[in-house]
C-alpha cells in the first residue's frame, strides 16, 4: 500500500551516495584480436579512468588493465576521448597526470614513450608497427598546435608531423593495405559540427603525398572515415541536412543511406564510432529515432536489410568483434549503461559488463516520453519529460509536482532517453523532470543545430521558458515550483533565464558562464572561437556579448540561485562563478555557493557528487517550502530571508 505524501518529500531508494556509486561511466569501446577494451570512470577513486578488457568478449573474462597510479584520460581539446589504442596484444594510453603516451604489455608495468609538453589522442595503427595519433603540442602554451603525427614507438620521441595545416584534426585512419591515409580537419572559427573537411593522401610510412579534400567544406560537416578492404572510404556527412552515410570510391562520393535521421553526433570527444564495416560490404549502423537510437544492417546496395528490435534507447561505440558479432555500448530507459555484444545473424544480445546496475523496483522508475512543444517564432522545440514515480509513495489528489527543468551543456549537445540515476534521484522523490533539447541541440539535423547561430542566450532561453510554461499549462508541473538547472553552457542558460524571466522559482548553475566576454578572452583553444558562431566575432560584437551576459542583468535575478564550481576548471574558469556570486551578494540576492578543490569541468569525485546532490535537494526544499526526506546537511543560502 502506497503512502500519501506531498511531492518532493518522498523517501527514495536512490541516495546521494548511490548516485555517486552509479557514476561509473563507460566510454571508448574498442575491439582487437577478438578481445574488447573500454574505459570506466571510478568516482570512488577520485574520478580515475581505467582501461577494462574482456577476453574474447566473454563476460566471465572481464578484468582491469590499468594499475594503481595511472588515469587513462587525455586532455586533447580538454574534453578528450579516444585515450588508448589496443593492437596486437599491446596497449598504448594517455596518462592524465603527465599527458604522456605509455606502452603497456600484459603483465608488465606501463612504460612512458613520449616526452612531457604534448597531448595525444585518437591513436591508430600505422605501418609496420608504428602509430598514428592526434597530437596537441603545448610546449609553447601561448601557441598550442594540433596535428597528425607518426610515432615509431621508440621512447622519448614526440612524433613526426604528417599534417598540421589546419587548426584541428581527428580520425587519422590508415587504409587496409597501408598505402592511404584519411583524416578529418577543421579551422577556427568552426567547430567539428560546422564546416569541416575530409582528406585522403598516399602514405609511405614517413610522409604524405597527393593530399586532397574529398568531402566537407562550407555548409557541410564530414566525419568518421573508415576504410573497407577494397579501399572504399565510408564516412558521415550532413550535406543532406542530417549526418548520413556516404562512400568515396573511384574518386567519387556516393550516398550509401540518406534519411531524415542523424547517424552521428557532435564531436565533443574524439573517437566516435557510429557504424561498423562487416563482411560482404554490409554495414551495421545506428541512428536517432523518435524513442532513442535504432540499429540496422545495411546491405551493399544501401538498403536496410534488417532492423534490430533491441531494448535500448542509447547505442554507441560500435566495434566489430569478429565476422559474426559486433560490440557496442548500450543503455535503456530502464537500465544503466553496459558493454554488450550482438550476434548479427540471430540478433542475440549478451551483456558483457554493466558496472553500475540500477537494481530498482520497476514501479519506481520514471520512463521518459518525448515532447514537442511550441516556442518562439511559431517553431517547435523538443524535450524528454519524466513524471514523478515511486513504488512506495503517491501524492495527494489534485497536487501538481515541482519540476526540475534541465538545460544540457554544449550548447551543441543532446539530452537522450537512457536511464540515468541522476534523473531518477529527482523523480523518485516526487519531482517531475524535463530534459530540454532547445534549439541548437544535436539529434534533429543541421537546421535545428543552426537555430542557435548568433543567438545563444536568446533561442535557448526562449525554449526553456516555453518548456516550463508548456508543462505548467498541461498540468504536469506546479508553476510556483519550477527550478532550472544546467552545467557549463547549460549553466549559462540557467543564469540567462533567471535574469530574463520570472518563470523559474529557483536555479542551480554548475560551472556556468556569467560573462561571455570574459569567456571569449579566457578559455582553451578548442572553444576559443566557438562564440564567434554562437554570439558574434570578438571583440567586434562586444556590445552583443555585453547584452547577452547575465552579469550585466543582475536586476532580473529575483529567484534564489545555487552555484557549483570546480577550482581547476580550464574551460569555464572559476572567475565566472566568483563574479556572479559576488555581484548577487552585493545586491542582496539569495545565493548559495560551493566550490570543490581539485575538480575540473564536470565533477568526477564521489564526495563531490554526493555533496552537490544533497545540497541541491536541500536548496529546493528551503526555497519551495517543503522538507525533503532523509538527513541532509544544512545548506547556507545568503539573503534568503530578505526575499519579498
Amino acid at each position: 500500500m502506497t503512502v500519501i505524501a506531498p511531492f518532493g518529500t518522498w523517501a527514495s531508494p536512490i541516495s546521494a551516495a548511490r548516485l555517486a556509486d552509479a557514476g561509473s561511466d563507460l566510454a571508448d569501446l574498442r575491439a582487437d584480436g577478438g578481445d574488447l577494451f573500454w574505459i570506466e570512470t571510478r568516482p570512488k577513486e577520485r574520478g580515475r579512468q581505467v582501461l577494462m578488457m574482456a577476453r574474447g568478449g566473454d563476460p566471465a573474462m572481464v578484468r582491469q588493465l590499468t594499475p594503481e597510479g595511472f588515469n587513462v584520460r587525455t586532455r586533447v581539446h580538454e574534453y578528450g576521448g579516444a585515450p588508448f589504442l589496443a593492437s596486437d596484444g599491446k596497449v598504448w594510453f594517455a596518462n592524465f597526470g603527465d599527458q604522456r603516451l605509455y606502452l603497456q604489455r600484459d603483465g608488465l608495468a606501463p612504460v612512458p614513450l613520449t616526452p612531457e609538453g604534448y597531448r595525444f589522442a585518437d591513436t591508430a595503427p600505422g605501418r609496420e608497427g608504428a602509430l598514428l595519433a592526434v597530437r596537441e603540442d603545448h610546449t609553447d602554451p601561448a601557441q598550442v598546435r594540433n596535428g597528425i603525427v607518426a610515432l615509431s614507438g621508440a621512447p622519448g620521441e614526440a612524433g613526426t608531423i604528417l599534417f598540421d595545416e589546419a587548426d584541428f584534426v581527428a580520425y587519422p585512419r590508415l587504409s587496409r593495405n597501408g598505402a592511404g591515409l584519411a583524416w578529418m580537419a577543421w579551422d577556427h572559427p568552426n567547430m567539428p559540427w560546422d564546416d569541416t573537411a575530409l582528406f585522403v593522401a598516399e602514405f609511405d610510412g614517413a610522409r604524405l603525398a597527393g593530399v586532397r579534400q574529398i568531402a566537407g567544406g562550407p555548409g557541410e560537416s564530414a566525419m568518421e572515415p573508415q576504410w573497407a578492404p577494397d579501399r572504399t572510404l565510408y564516412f558521415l556527412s550532413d550535406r543532406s541536412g542530417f549526418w548520413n552515410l556516404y562512400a568515396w570510391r573511384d574518386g567519387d562520393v556516393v550516398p550509401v543511406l540518406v534519411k531524415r535521421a542523424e547517424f552521428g553526433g557532435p564531436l565533443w570527444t574524439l573517437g566516435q564510432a557510429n557504424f561498423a564495416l562487416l563482411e560482404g560490404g554490409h554495414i551495421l549502423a545506428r541512428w536517432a529515432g523518435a524513442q532513442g537510437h535504432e540499429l540496422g544492417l545495411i546491405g551493399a546496395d544501401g538498403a536496410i536489410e534488417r532492423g534490430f528490435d533491441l531494448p535500448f534507447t542509447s547505442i554507441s561505440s560500435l566495434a566489430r568483434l569478429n565476422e559474426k558479432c559486433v560490440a557496442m555500448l548500450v543503455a535503456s530507459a530502464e537500465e544503466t549503461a553496459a558493454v554488450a555484444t550482438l550476434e548479427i545473424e540471430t540478433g542475440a544480445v549478451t551483456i558483457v559488463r554493466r558496472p553500475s546496475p540500477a537494481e530498482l523496483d520497476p514501479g519506481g522508475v520514471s520512463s521518459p516520453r518525448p515532447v514537442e512543444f511550441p516556442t518562439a517564432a511559431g517553431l517547435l522545440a523538443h524535450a524528454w519529460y519524466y513524471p514523478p514515480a515511486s513504488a512506495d509513495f503517491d501524492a495527494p489528489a489534485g497536487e501538481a509536482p515541482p519540476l526540475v527543468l534541465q538545460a544540457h551543456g554544449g550548447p551543441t549537445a543532446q539530452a537522450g532517453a537512457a536511464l540515468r540515476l541522476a534523473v531518477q534521484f529527482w523523480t523518485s522523490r516526487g519531482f517531475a523532470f524535463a530534459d530540454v533539447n532547445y534549439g541548437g541541440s544535436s539529434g534533429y539535423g543541421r537546421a535545428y543545430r543552426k537555430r542557435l547561430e548568433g543567438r545563444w542566450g536568446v533561442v535557448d532561453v526562449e525554449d526553456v521558458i516555453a518548456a516550463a510554461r508548456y508543462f505548467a499549462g498541461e498540468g504536469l508541473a506546479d508553476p510556483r515550483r519550477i527550478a532550472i538547472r544546467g552545467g557549463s553552457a547549460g549553466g549559462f542558460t540557467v543564469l540567462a533565464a533567471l535574469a530574463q524571466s520570472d518563470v523559474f522559482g529557483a536555479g542551480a548553475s554548475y560551472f556556468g558562464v556569467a560573462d561571455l566576454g570574459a569567456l571569449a578572452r579566457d578559455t582553451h583553444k578548442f572553444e576559443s572561437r566557438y562564440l564567434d558562431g554562437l554570439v558574434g566575432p570578438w571583440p567586434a560584437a562586444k556590445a552583443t556579448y555585453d547584452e547577452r551576459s547575465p552579469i550585466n542583468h543582475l536586476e532580473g535575478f529575483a529567484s534564489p540561485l545555487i552555484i557549483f564550481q570546480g577550482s581547476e576548471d580550464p574551460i569555464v574558469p572559476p572567475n565566472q562563478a566568483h563574479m556572479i556570486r559576488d555581484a548577487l551578494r552585493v545586491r542582496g540576492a539569495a545565493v548559495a555557493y560551493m566550490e570543490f578543490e581539485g575538480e575540473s569541468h564536470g565533477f568526477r569525485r564521489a564526495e563531490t557528487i554526493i555533496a552537490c546532490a544533497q545540497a541541491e535537494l536541500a536548496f529546493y526544499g528551503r526555497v519551495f517550502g517543503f522538507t525533503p526526506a532523509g538527513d541532509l546537511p544544512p545548506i547556507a543560502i545568503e539573503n534568503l530571508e530578505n526575499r519579498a
Side-chain angles (χ1 to χ4, degrees), residues 119-144:
R119 302 174 183 179
F120 296 88
D122 213 356
T123 307
R127 287 175 54 138
E128 300 174 354
L131 305 177
L132 302 167
V134 171
R135 189 187 74 179
E136 203 168 72
D137 182 351
H138 286 256
T139 53
D140 179 2
Q143 188 64 42
V144 176

Side-chain angles (χ1 to χ4, degrees), residues 225-505:
Q226 292 193 42
W227 292 98
D230 64 356
R231 284 206 54 159
T232 297
L233 184 69
Y234 292 91
F235 62 95
L236 300 182
S237 167
D238 68 354
R239 61 177 62 187
S240 70
F242 294 82
W243 274 305
N244 289 161
L245 193 58
Y246 291 83
W248 177 73
R249 60 169 67 96
D250 300 325
D252 293 320
V253 171
V254 295
V256 176
L257 179 58
V258 175
K259 58 186 300 180
R260 291 182 59 82
E262 297 277 42
F263 283 61
L267 203 66
W268 280 107
T269 57
L270 293 166
Q272 274 189 37
N274 299 296
F275 62 96
L277 303 182
L278 306 177
E279 302 297 320
H282 285 77
I283 302 171
L284 190 71
R286 62 72 132 163
W287 57 84
Q291 301 293 328
H293 290 150
E294 299 175 5
L295 190 72
L297 183 65
I298 304 168
D301 60 355
I304 300 176
E305 293 186 358
R306 181 180 178 187
F308 293 88
D309 185 15
L310 303 177
F312 308 124
T313 56
S314 175
I315 301 171
S316 62
S317 288
L318 273 62
R320 181 181 181 273
L321 184 60
N322 54 52
E323 66 273 11
K324 297 180 179 180
C325 185
V326 170
M328 51 196 175
L329 298 181
V330 299
S332 73
E334 293 77 31
E335 192 49 274
T336 53
V339 177
T341 57
L342 172 71
E343 294 289 341
I344 302 298
E345 185 175 335
T346 66
V349 172
T350 299
I351 299 299
V352 177
R353 167 85 168 164
R354 179 174 276 124
S356 302
E359 297 176 343
L360 297 173
D361 185 323
V365 175
S366 178
S367 296
R369 64 180 178 89
V371 174
E372 262 191 344
F373 60 90
T375 187
L379 299 172
L380 294 173
H382 302 273
W384 294 98
Y385 176 80
Y386 298 77
S390 173
D392 303 312
F393 289 87
D394 207 346
E399 182 182 353
L403 173 68
V404 175
L405 187 149
Q406 179 160 282
H408 62 67
T412 310
Q414 180 186 17
L419 180 72
R420 285 169 292 155
L421 291 194
V423 173
Q424 304 295 321
F425 177 85
W426 299 105
T427 57
S428 61
R429 285 171 165 78
F431 289 81
F433 192 96
D435 229 343
V436 180
N437 281 318
Y438 48 81
S441 302
S442 56
Y444 305 95
R446 187 178 180 95
Y448 196 82
R449 291 201 310 275
K450 288 295 184 181
R451 282 190 190 180
L452 211 57
E453 191 168 52
R455 291 175 59 78
W456 190 34
V458 178
V459 167
D460 51 321
V461 173
E462 290 173 343
D463 287 358
V464 295
I465 291 172
R469 288 174 172 159
Y470 172 83
F471 291 121
E474 293 291 309
L476 300 173
D478 181 347
R480 300 164 301 172
R481 297 186 294 169
I482 301 178
I484 183 171
R485 72 191 303 269
S488 189
F492 165 75
T493 302
V494 168
L495 299 177
L498 291 177
Q500 298 178 36
S501 170
D502 60 0
V503 168
F504 301 102

